[in-house]
Amino acid sequence: MKIAIIGGTGPEGTGLGFRWAASGHEVIIGSRKAEKGERVAAELLAERPDLAISGTDNETAVAQCEVAVLAVPYAAQAATLESIQEHLMGKLLITVVAPTGEKKTRALRLDSGLSAAEEAQQQLGDKVRVVAAFQNIGAHNLSDLDYELDCDVLVCGQKAADKEVAIQLAQDAGLRGVNAGGLVNAGVVEGLASLLIFVNVKYKVKDAGIRITGIG
Amino acid sequence: MKIAIIGGTGPEGTGLGFRWAASGHEVIIGSRKAEKGERVAAELLAERPDLAISGTDNETAVAQCEVAVLAVPYAAQAATLESIQEHLMGKLLITVVAPTGEKKTRALRLDSGLSAAEEAQQQLGDKVRVVAAFQNIGAHNLSDLDYELDCDVLVCGQKAADKEVAIQLAQDAGLRGVNAGGLVNAGVVEGLASLLIFVNVKYKVKDAGIRITGIG
């Protein structure tokens, strides 16, 4: 699958992209500036020249992709989506965005009363299918392909088929994806990111995550 | 510790009370009607006559307790708190309430924009310390003392000492309690309850729960 990572030069976007490329996907690292996307792609290729990784600007990346992954800070979400909206039409957008405020350990309530994923869906309209996933994985160690990640990925979205894509991508990154309901549940998953940052600080660890138990 | 369970005749309140009594606490099962509290206490005592369990109405239960546990449906929260408020003054209130709407699988946004735990704190004022915990344990099997519960308890509250009490009570019930931040994070924990109900339905299980990973 041809995956564009919007804001792919941050640690989470880069780490997920590297893992997806290693599992056989074609990955395009997008960035505001094409040179930055190219540079990060070159760094990953230096480590694994056999993989299909390229870098460019966000718009070009999205224009080429089958599935787009949004990995920008929340503060940049609305403007970034506006700049790539036309190239997203008809596509699946998986957003990993989890808004955190100044106090990152406190779940943030957005002024809209919605989750960041719902805001994205509202902004993009019905022609783009938004799925929320990967909010709760630490970026720490993500780019180490041999590192075994001990956490699940909660996947929220409206259509089962789209959630299946995200669940498969979780598996391809070495994680288990769990169907966690409609997009209305994305706020819980986004809030968990702040809660897990609190746990990291309080328990002096770097990689607190969650697992769903009882589903075998 | 002398624990009053407000709304202690529902499956979660009864199950937690039974486990706490089995670990050596003195448990008072409260209900709107004293006879119902007495009846449930008698049922538990029939199974384990050695335990310190009694039943009465909610007000009498709270008047006698050191720590109160709120285990009523969200719809009954405000009225119940009003009826016991004077007896709660100066005490710790642990709330297990997780609001669910008509569609229980969808995280519910309260009109206040707050969590149920924050609403409780607002209603009760500074003289009562509210801690949110036990929102994400299935009531199923809770009253089976031999059943090993495979989940963690997220604990949110303002004071570390109060959260320590809840974390100890989690341990006494056979669970691990995790400090999950201030009361502002309670909305995440309450929303997780709906998300886990979705998982139960979707994966055809009864006991989906969560574990925090990466904290040893």
Side-chain angles (χ1 to χ4, degrees), chain B residues 146-189:
Chain B
D146 296 325
Y147 188 84
E148 212 166 299
L149 300 158
D150 182 19
C151 59
D152 288 338
V153 172
L154 299 177
V155 178
C156 300
Q158 294 309 102
K159 291 185 177 158
D162 292 333
K163 288 192 273 191
E164 276 307 320
V165 173
I167 288 169
Q168 181 62 50
L169 286 176
Q171 193 176 313
D172 295 341
L175 294 150
R176 180 176 70 163
V178 175
N179 185 343
L183 214 56
V184 71
N185 286 353
V188 176
V189 182

Side-chain angles (χ1 to χ4, degrees), chain A residues 105-107 109 113-115 118 150-151 154 156 160 163 167 177-185 187-192 194-196 198-200 202-203 205-216, chain B residues 105-107 109 113-115 118 150-151 154 156 160 163 167 177-185 187-192 194-196 198-200 202-203 205-216:
Chain A
T105 60
R106 297 182 184 176
R109 293 182 174 100
L114 300 172
S115 60
E118 289 166 301
D150 182 19
C151 59
L154 300 177
C156 300
K163 289 192 273 190
I167 288 170
V178 176
N179 184 343
L183 213 58
V184 70
N185 286 352
V188 176
V189 182
E190 293 174 12
L192 262 176
S194 289
L195 192 152
L196 290 171
F198 177 91
V199 172
N200 276 338
K202 184 58 69 177
Y203 290 82
V205 297
K206 289 179 173 172
D207 259 341
I210 65 145
R211 283 266 188 211
I212 299 296
T213 59
I215 56 171
Chain B
T105 60
R106 297 182 184 176
R109 292 183 175 100
L114 300 172
S115 61
E118 288 166 302
D150 182 19
C151 59
L154 299 177
C156 300
K163 288 192 273 191
I167 288 169
V178 175
N179 185 343
L183 214 56
V184 71
N185 286 353
V188 176
V189 182
E190 293 174 12
L192 263 177
S194 289
L195 192 152
L196 290 170
F198 177 90
V199 172
N200 276 336
K202 183 58 69 179
Y203 290 82
V205 299
K206 289 179 174 173
D207 259 341
I210 65 144
R211 285 263 189 212
I212 299 296
T213 60
I215 57 172

Side-chain angles (χ1 to χ4, degrees), chain B residues 3-213:
Chain B
I3 306 167
I5 307 190
I6 307 151
T9 58
E12 182 161 12
T14 302
L16 285 172
F18 199 30
R19 284 176 175 251
W20 287 328
S23 77
H25 293 289
E26 187 176 338
V27 171
I28 314 162
I29 304 282
S31 185
R32 265 186 306 173
K33 296 187 176 176
E35 309 82 65
K36 202 173 168 196
E38 289 163 11
R39 179 164 52 76
V40 169
E43 286 166 11
L44 296 177
L45 285 169
E47 199 175 327
R48 283 287 301 269
D50 58 312
L51 303 184
I53 304 176
S54 62
T56 181
D57 61 272
N58 285 326
E59 289 168 60
T60 308
V62 174
Q64 294 172 3
C65 80
E66 293 163 276
V67 170
V69 174
L70 184 66
V72 298
Y74 171 70
Q77 174 175 302
T80 303
L81 290 180
E82 202 185 333
S83 72
I84 57 172
Q85 183 155 9
E86 62 175 309
H87 303 297
L88 278 173
M89 290 299 144
K91 293 178 181 174
L92 168 61
L93 175 71
I94 298 174
T95 172
V96 313
V97 174
T100 51
E102 217 172 316
K103 300 238 178 187
K104 290 187 195 298
T105 60
R106 297 182 184 176
L108 184 70
R109 292 183 175 100
L110 302 181
D111 291 337
S112 63
L114 300 172
S115 61
E118 288 166 302
E119 286 186 356
Q121 183 69 76
Q122 206 167 67
Q123 182 180 346
L124 295 168
D126 288 348
K127 296 277 192 303
V128 181
R129 290 117 56 209
V130 175
V131 162
F134 302 101
Q135 272 74 11
N136 302 317
I137 51 170
H140 187 69
N141 291 324
L142 200 58
S143 289
D144 176 355
L145 298 180
D146 296 325
Y147 188 84
E148 212 166 299
L149 300 158
D150 182 19
C151 59
D152 288 338
V153 172
L154 299 177
V155 178
C156 300
Q158 294 309 102
K159 291 185 177 158
D162 292 333
K163 288 192 273 191
E164 276 307 320
V165 173
I167 288 169
Q168 181 62 50
L169 286 176
Q171 193 176 313
D172 295 341
L175 294 150
R176 180 176 70 163
V178 175
N179 185 343
L183 214 56
V184 71
N185 286 353
V188 176
V189 182
E190 293 174 12
L192 263 177
S194 289
L195 192 152
L196 290 170
I197 293 171
F198 177 90
V199 172
N200 276 336
V201 171
K202 183 58 69 179
Y203 290 82
K204 297 185 173 61
V205 299
K206 289 179 174 173
D207 259 341
I210 65 144
R211 285 263 189 212
I212 299 296
T213 60

Side-chain angles (χ1 to χ4, degrees), chain A residues 79-162:
Chain A
T80 303
L81 290 180
E82 202 184 333
S83 73
I84 57 172
Q85 182 154 9
E86 61 175 308
H87 303 297
L88 279 173
M89 289 300 143
K91 293 179 180 173
L92 168 62
L93 175 72
I94 298 175
T95 171
V96 313
V97 175
T100 51
E102 216 173 316
K103 301 239 178 186
K104 290 187 194 300
T105 60
R106 297 182 184 176
L108 183 70
R109 293 182 174 100
L110 302 180
D111 291 336
S112 64
L114 300 172
S115 60
E118 289 166 301
E119 286 186 355
Q121 183 69 76
Q122 205 167 68
Q123 182 180 345
L124 295 168
D126 288 348
K127 297 276 190 301
V128 181
R129 291 116 57 208
V130 175
V131 162
F134 302 100
Q135 271 75 11
N136 302 316
I137 51 169
H140 187 68
N141 290 324
L142 200 57
S143 289
D144 176 356
L145 298 180
D146 295 325
Y147 188 83
E148 212 165 301
L149 300 158
D150 182 19
C151 59
D152 288 338
V153 172
L154 300 177
V155 178
C156 300
Q158 295 309 102
K159 290 184 178 160
D162 293 333

